[in-house]
Amino acid sequence: QLRVVESGGGLVQPGGSLRLSCAASGDTLSSYAIGWFRQAPGKEREGVSCSGNVGGTRNYADSVKGRFTASRDNAKNTVYLQMNSLKPEDTALYFCAATYLQADICPEPDILEYDYWGQGTQVTVSS
């Protein structure tokens, strides 16, 4: 069974950058689409971005367009979320999630489309 673990969160000033990592184990990453989601206090979990099984990407949120980019290295069983020009409203607990999908496409940004979830990594954007 696939297991995913996020890392790379932290405290960053507005305008700064962070790169989150999602390390997969237990199965071959190239058989899965990986989605990035986030949840701020008091808000619903929302989709941010997705990486298809061999690197195609889909942006889930207009608010991060042009600032966040998903990528992957299947040889390292790791997916990344590069976050630039961070804003205070990007503060949230960030999750990666996997769904078995042997095609370079992404599902809809619905948490029910994803089967395997990590515990999340906190990103705080503040001066």
Side-chain angles (χ1 to χ4, degrees):
Q1 183 170 335
L2 190 77
R3 180 171 177 259
V4 292
V5 178
E6 306 92 341
S7 62
L11 174 64
V12 63
Q13 292 187 341
S17 298
L18 279 176
R19 189 177 77 160
L20 305 183
S21 298
C22 174
S25 61
D27 203 347
T28 304
L29 184 64
S30 60
S31 296
Y32 295 82
I34 300 293
W36 286 99
F37 291 77
R38 66 186 181 184
Q39 188 166 18
K43 294 188 177 181
E44 292 188 353
R45 194 169 298 188
E46 67 167 345
V48 175
S49 188
C50 169
S51 170
N53 73 330
V54 291
T57 60
R58 176 179 173 180
N59 180 54
Y60 281 157
D62 288 341
S63 62
V64 306
K65 193 174 295 183
R67 300 188 298 122
F68 290 11
T69 303
S71 63
R72 67 165 60 203
D73 185 338
N74 281 342
K76 295 183 178 179
N77 259 18
T78 303
V79 175
Y80 306 98
L81 183 67
Q82 179 66 44
M83 305 186 297
N84 299 326
S85 302
L86 283 160
K87 305 175 181 180
E89 51 264 42
D90 295 318
T91 295
L93 188 61
Y94 282 72
F95 300 88
C96 67
T99 186
Y100 188 81
L101 193 58
Q102 289 190 307
D104 199 21
I105 58 174
C106 286
E108 293 302 308
D110 184 334
I111 61 174
L112 297 179
E113 294 284 346
Y114 289 85
D115 301 305
Y116 307 100
W117 290 80
Q119 294 301 305
T121 185
Q122 179 66 38
V123 172
T124 302
V125 185
S126 175
S127 55

